[in-house]
């Protein structure tokens, strides 16, 4: 039998772990526990609940107020891994600086980032947004239309990204993508990037922005970037959306082509 | 890339300007000389291809250049083929300059922009040509690549030249050339060239020298010369090898260097400290081993001869069990490893080795040695550091000195880069905040709070240890056999666990304080130090209690023994008075508890359990974690490596303190320890040796570099200071026990004496002549000792005040230097400003003057061509001509090299 004194000696360790990883515990609580509980209680999916909140709290046709409603819901009520306001600013800045005309988004989720991007695009630009999940796509569609962006500006494609990317050239008459935003499954970052390279849609100077490369993280993607030499790339370090202590980053890649 | 090229050109241009006429002359002279020298060889062995190429070049040039230039270029071309030294390069530049002039003249007063355009076209053409010829285009400038081209051919040519078939004057010239090369190599460092060019020149010159040096001289002289050259080379090589050998002889040097390159100098400083410790412990070990353990083992009475050297009858059955041996009981307790084994015989063996004296002196000597080494190292370190002031040029320091050049690993370099960026951000923020200082109360509050929390922690852990020690005393009274292993080892376990986990908690708490990592490390060290010290002292106090208990027991045992002896005596007397005295087995003799051995055992156990915990933490906390993270990462929903558990970082502060703490214990034992357990230094040496390898391995295999890699510049002295403090604090109880507690009556080298230091008296009385002991007794008279101490205090005070005044003088001098520097800077600035003003005035005047000329020259542009001149003065004038009045000088510099490049490109 281990004596209580020895057990007490483990108290500092326990405290240390709790304090050091408190953000992760909080995140676990908010993203998993609350979600499961609410799912059982309300019978709606998380995205639907978010949409309800937005519908009741935002002004239709005003992207800013929709984004704000999302931010409030995600930081106060539940957790959805949108890009968030802080990293969103980096995204906005990149879009403003480069004013791309053809933009591809992988992983619309519930439309937050789509609205965010469409808001800062120049006139005449077109945004293709790919979402795999049917229900999420339905909500994203509603959110996008609520923000006042029509079919000419934002096109939502409901298919897995690895099916869509090879067909982009033939089906959607795309010549070149100026800007690609990746925020879908972290495991798909690398294969999709390679698909994009293979499809020839990337030209010199095309920008690819990948969210969440540090947490949850896409190690293979980063390893590939280090090795391949096709890109000029950097990581914008930030924290995870709606959470202060978890470090995360966005990788900004500028396609250089084969020299 | 193009930008870089432009900059480079500008540099070249500037060079040209700086070195004026005389260089030019020298260049031609050298060129001619070399040409003559190589004339012979050339005639003989020039290859056809070479000639063709030469023709091509000249012909191409003919198209572009006037006849006058052609002549020079022809010369230059020849020279270039043979010699690759920089003078030829200068000549080329000279041509280039002429070309610029020419270009300028041709275009007359046409705008520079057009010229640029034209230049650009030519450049493109040239690049096309170059691509065909050459693959290395990237960074080297066009000029150099063209030369390299030539070099390759040249090498083939050179191989065929045989020095034997050269005439004496050719040899003479060759020798001159060689000498020149040597001079060039020597002065290369000071030349204002780009690194690339320097390297190329260096390599070429070295090859040249190597090739022709041995060939110089003739007949006997030549052989001797060649021999001499060979020997010097051999000698140099030997010296270099010897240096390498010396580095290889420093233990673990390569390992530490490798770790340093991966983890930065702060982690490396730990390992250097570990090595230093190892060295010291080695010496301590040699002392105790050579002067105490070995003599006793060789010359002392063997095991089983007297009671203190035998296992008592009651323990004999279990004396060889592993569990007992692991606790340092049984045969281990009754061996040279512990105090109790030693006999109080004054001399042992045929050498008349004075064992008790040696034992005492070794104990004192080890402590004295530790003190001496630590203080000496501290003094040396203090000399090295403490010159710079940290506050005055904060950003400049950061800018120019923050890179750690020892880093040799991409990931660490990334981390370092990030940490420098963050440190800049923080410094800027700090600077801003220092002007605002509104948050200072919050920071202060947080710091106080953190310290409060840490104090709570310390108090809690102190109480826990106290509680455990009390409990263990209760167990001891009950008899240890009735309790489980856990309960018996509770004290050690709790102490090690607390020593392991509390620093982690401190680390977490210290993030509240928001210090610079170096400062944070010192705080952390201080706190862990307090923790360890508290633990150590609680432990020692508990031991003192136990010692007192044992001494009470001893008294009863003493009484019992006299009774036992009396009964034995009585028995023998009553039985038979003439019979020989009964021999009693030494194992059966009752004996005292021997508290010294008990203390030694406790400390040894503590060290062992501590080491075990360290290693087990290392294996579980680092290795197992690393393995899990590495292999679970393939099938986990987030990135384990970069995110949540991640790999562990190397904990410098904890490790350093563990080391210091252990050393302190060794020294407690070097009084309490090498006193009560002479095996302790040996154990420590083994421990350090193993942990050197184990930690090196663990660091390289399962730790990641710290996120904020920082230099551990001044902290080495901090370690030393802490070591000193802990040495002092741990010698205190040892001295107390030695001075105030009489040694046990039946074990150890001092048994039967009233105090341990009585050994010295005894030696003085019996081993030295009478006068010596007399002198000694006079010297130890308080009337003599007190003035001596007073004198020492005065001397220390005097030295301290002088050193203070020196320091002040140093600061003054530094200030003066700084002032002077600033004054100089100011002066230079003024001079530069004045020169600029003058220049501008002149330029405006010239521009006004030239405006009229230009108008004229515009009209007869086609026919008008100025003769190419070599006078630099006229050249600058020409520059002035074509400069619009408001044109910035920097721009012309940029555009000129672009022009200047063109002709040299076309040659390719």
């Amino acid at each position: 039998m281990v004596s209580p004194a020895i057990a007490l000696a483990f108290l500092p360790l326990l405290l240390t772990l709790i304090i050091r990883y408190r953000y992760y515990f909080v995140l676990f609580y908010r993203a998993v526990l609350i979600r499961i509980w609410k799912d059982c209680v309300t019978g709606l999916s998380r995205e639907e609940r978010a949409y309800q909140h937005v519908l009741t709290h935002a002004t239709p046709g005003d992207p800013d107020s929709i984004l704000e409603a999302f931010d409030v819901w995600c930081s106060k009520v539940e957790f959805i891994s949108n890009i968030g306001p802080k990293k969103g600013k980096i995204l906005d800045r990149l879009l403003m600086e480069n004013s791309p005309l053809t933009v591809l988004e992988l992983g619309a989720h519930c439309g937050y980032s789509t609205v965010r991007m469409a808001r800062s695009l120049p006139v005449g630009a077109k945004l293709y947004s790919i979402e795999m999940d049917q229900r999420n796509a339905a909500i994203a569609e509603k959110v996008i239309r609520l923000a006042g962006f029509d079919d000419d500006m934002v096109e939502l494609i409901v298919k897995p990204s690895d099916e869509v990317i090879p067909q982009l050239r033939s089906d959607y008459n795309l010549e070149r993508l100026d800007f690609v935003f990746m925020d879908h499954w972290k495991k798909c970052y690398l294969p999709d990037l390679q698909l994009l390279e293979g499809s020839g849609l990337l030209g010199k100077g095309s920008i690819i922005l990948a969210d969440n490369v540090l947490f949850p993280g896409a190690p293979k993607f980063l390893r590939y970037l280090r090795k391949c030499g096709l890109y000029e790339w950097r990581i914008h370090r930030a924290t995870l959306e709606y959470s202060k202590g978890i470090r995360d980053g966005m990788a900004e890649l500028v396609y250089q082509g084969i020299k | 890339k193009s930008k870089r090229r432009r900059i480079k050109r500008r540099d070249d241009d500037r060079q040209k300007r700086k070195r004026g006429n005389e260089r030019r002359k020298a260049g031609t002279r050298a060129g001619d000389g070399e040409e003559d020298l190589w004339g012979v060889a050339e005639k003989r062995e020039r290859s056809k291809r070479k000639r063709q190429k030469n023709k091509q070049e000249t012909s191409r040039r003919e198209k572009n250049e006037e006849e006058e230039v052609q002549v020079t270029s022809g010369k230059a071309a020849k020279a270039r083929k043979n010699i690759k030294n920089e003078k030829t390069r200068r000549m080329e530049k000279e041509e280039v300059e002429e070309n610029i002039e020419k270009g300028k003249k041709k275009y007359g007063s046409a705008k520079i922009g057009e010229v640029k355009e034209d230049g650009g076209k030519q450049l493109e053409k040239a690049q096309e040509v170059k691509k065909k010829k050459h693959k290395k285009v990237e960074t080297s400038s066009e000029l150099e690549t063209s030369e390299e081209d030539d070099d390759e051919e040249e090498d083939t040519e050179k191989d065929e030249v045989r020095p034997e078939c050269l005439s004496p004057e050719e040899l003479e010239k060759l020798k001159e050339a060689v000498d020149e090369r040597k001079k060039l190599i020597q002065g290369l460092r000071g030349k204002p060239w780009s690194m690339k060019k320097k390297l190329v020149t260096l390599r070429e010159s070295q090859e040249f020298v190597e090739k022709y040096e041995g060939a110089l001289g003739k007949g006997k002289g030549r052989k001797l010369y060649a021999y001499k050259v060979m020997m010097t080379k051999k000698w140099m090589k030997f010296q270099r090898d010897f240096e390498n050998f010396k580095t290889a002889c420093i233990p673990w040097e390569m390992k530490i260097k490798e770790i340093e390159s991966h983890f930065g100098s702060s982690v490396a400083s730990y390992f250097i400290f570990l090595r230093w410790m190892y060295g010291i412990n080695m010496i301590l070990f040699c002392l105790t081993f050579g002067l105490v353990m070995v003599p006793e083992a060789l010359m002392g009475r063997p095991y089983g001869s007297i009671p203190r050297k035998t296992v008592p009858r009651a323990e004999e059955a279990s004396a060889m069990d592993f569990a007992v041996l692991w606790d340092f009981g049984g045969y281990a307790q009754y061996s040279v490893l512990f105090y109790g084994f030693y006999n109080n015989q004054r001399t042992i063996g045929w050498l008349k080795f004075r064992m008790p004296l040696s034992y005492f002196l070794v104990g004192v000597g080890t402590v004295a040695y530790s003190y001496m080494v630590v203080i000496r190292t501290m003094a040396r370190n203090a000399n090295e550091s403490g010159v710079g002031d940290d506050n005055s040029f904060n950003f400049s320091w950061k800018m120019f000195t923050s890179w750690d050049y020892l880093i040799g690993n991409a990931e660490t370099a990334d981390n370092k880069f990030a940490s420098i960026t963050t440190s800049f951000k923080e410094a800027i923020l700090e600077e801003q905040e220092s002007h605002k200082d509104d948050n200072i109360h919050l920071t202060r509050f947080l710091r106080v709070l953190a310290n409060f929390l840490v104090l709570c922690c310390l108090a809690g852990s102190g109480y826990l240890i106290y509680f455990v020690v009390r409990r263990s005393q209760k167990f001891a009274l009950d008899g240890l056999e009735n309790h489980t292993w856990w309960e018996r080892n509770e004290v050690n376990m709790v102490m090690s666990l607390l020593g392991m986990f509390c620093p982690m908690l401190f680390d977490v708490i210290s993030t509240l304080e928001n210090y610079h990592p170096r400062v944070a490390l010192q705080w952390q060290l201080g706190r862990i130090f307090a923790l360890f010290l508290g633990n150590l002292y609680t432990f020692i106090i508990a031991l003192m209690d136990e010692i007192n208990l044992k001494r009470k027991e001893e008294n009863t045992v003493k009484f019992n023994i006299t009774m036992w002896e009396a009964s034995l005596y009585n028995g023998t007397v009553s039985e038979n008075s003439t019979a020989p005295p009964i021999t009693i087995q030494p194992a059966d003799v009752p004996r005292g508890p021997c508290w010294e051995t008990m203390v030694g055992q406790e400390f040894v156990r503590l060290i062992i359990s501590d080491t075990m915990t360290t290693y087990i933490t290392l294996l579980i906390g680092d290795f197992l974690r690393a393995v899990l993270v590495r292999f679970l990462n393939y099938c986990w929903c987030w990135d384990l490596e970069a995110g949540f558990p991640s790999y562990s970082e190397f904990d410098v502060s904890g490790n350093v303190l563990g080391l210091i703490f252990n050393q302190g214990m060794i020294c407690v034992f070097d009084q309490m320890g090498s006193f009560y357990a002479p095996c302790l230094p040996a154990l420590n040496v083994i421990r350090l040796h193993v942990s050197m390898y184990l930690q090196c391995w663990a660091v390289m295999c399962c730790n990641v570099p710290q996120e904020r890699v920082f230099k551990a510049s001044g902290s080495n002295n901090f370690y030393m200071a802490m070591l000193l403090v802990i040495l002092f604090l741990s010698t205190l109880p040892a001295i107390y026990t030695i001075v105030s507690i009489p040694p046990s009556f039946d074990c150890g080298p001092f048994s039967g004496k009233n105090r341990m230091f009585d050994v010295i008296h005894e030696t003085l009385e019996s081993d030295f002549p009478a006068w010596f002991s007399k002198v000694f007794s006079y010297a130890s008279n308080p009337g003599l000792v007190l003035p001596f101490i007073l004198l020492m205090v005065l001397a220390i005070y005097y030295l301290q005040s002088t050193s203070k005044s020196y320091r002040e003088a140093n600061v003054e001098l530094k200030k003066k230097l700084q002032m002077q520097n600033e004054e100089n800077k100011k002066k230079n600035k003024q001079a530069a400003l004045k020169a600029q003003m003058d220049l501008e005035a002149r330029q405006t005047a010239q521009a006004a003057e030239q405006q009229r000329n230009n108008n004229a020259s515009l009209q007869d542009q086609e026919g008008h061509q100025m003769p190419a001149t070599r006078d630099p003065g006229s050249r600058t004038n020409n520059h002035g001509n074509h400069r619009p009045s408001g044109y910035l000088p920097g721009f012309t510099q940029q555009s000129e090299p672009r022009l200047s490049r063109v002709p040299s490109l076309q040659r390719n």
Side-chain angles (χ1 to χ4, degrees), chain B residues 523-563:
Chain B
W523 272 96
Q524 175 81 353
L525 283 171
R527 279 165 192 165
I528 302 173
F529 183 74
L531 175 81
F532 282 180
L533 205 65
N535 292 1
L536 189 68
Y537 259 71
T538 340
F539 184 72
I540 287 173
I541 286 166
L543 268 183
M544 289 290 177
D545 284 352
E546 217 156 330
I547 288 174
N548 288 334
L549 270 177
K550 291 265 171 178
R551 283 186 56 216
K552 263 179 216 159
E553 201 183 321
E554 199 179 273
N555 284 335
T556 51
V557 166
K558 239 184 198 167
F559 179 71
N560 285 348
I561 285 179
T562 43
M563 294 293 286

Side-chain angles (χ1 to χ4, degrees), chain B residues 554-682:
Chain B
E554 199 179 273
N555 284 335
T556 51
V557 166
K558 239 184 198 167
F559 179 71
N560 285 348
I561 285 179
T562 43
M563 294 293 286
W564 177 76
E565 271 175 351
S567 70
L568 202 69
Y569 180 72
N570 287 341
T572 46
V573 164
S574 62
E575 255 176 41
N576 192 354
S577 56
T578 52
I582 303 166
T583 51
I584 307 156
Q585 285 291 317
D588 294 326
V589 177
R591 57 189 77 173
C594 196
W595 58 269
E596 289 96 338
T597 301
M598 185 270 299
V599 171
Q601 268 176 317
E602 284 294 317
F603 271 102
V604 170
R605 270 182 219 148
L606 192 63
I607 280 220
I608 295 278
S609 80
D610 205 64
T611 315
M612 293 324 274
T613 356
T614 318
Y615 293 163
I616 288 170
T617 347
L618 206 71
L619 283 182
I620 292 177
D622 287 3
F623 183 64
L624 212 67
R625 179 171 163 188
V627 166
L628 281 182
V629 165
R630 178 81 181 79
F631 291 106
L632 270 186
N633 204 22
Y634 289 118
C635 49
W636 202 259
C637 53
W638 70 73
D639 188 4
L640 290 170
E641 285 180 351
F644 172 25
S646 180
Y647 298 108
S648 52
E649 285 175 1
F650 186 77
D651 173 26
V652 181
S653 53
N655 277 309
V656 164
L657 274 166
L659 217 58
I660 289 175
F661 176 61
N662 273 312
Q663 193 58 34
M665 289 216 289
I666 302 304
C667 286
V668 176
F669 285 121
D670 278 335
Q671 291 292 309
M672 261 179 169
S674 108
F675 248 70
Y676 306 139
C679 62
L680 218 69

Side-chain angles (χ1 to χ4, degrees), chain B residues 212-245:
Chain B
Y212 292 108
E213 202 172 33
L216 289 172
K218 52 183 177 179
K220 224 166 132 192
R222 183 196 288 174
K223 257 186 197 163
L224 192 70
Y225 185 76
Y227 182 71
K228 229 165 75 186
V229 168
M230 201 183 70
M231 281 319 284
T232 36
K233 267 183 193 160
K234 284 257 165 72
W235 173 241
M236 299 248 281
K237 190 169 182 305
F238 171 74
Q239 270 180 329
R240 214 166 37 222
D241 285 348
F242 188 68
E243 286 293 322
N244 287 347
F245 176 71

Side-chain angles (χ1 to χ4, degrees), chain B residues 180-193:
Chain B
E180 212 158 287
R181 291 295 171 116
K182 275 185 183 166
K183 233 182 269 169
L184 181 68
I185 291 172
Q186 273 179 349
L188 195 68
R189 206 170 275 180
K191 293 257 160 55
W193 299 340

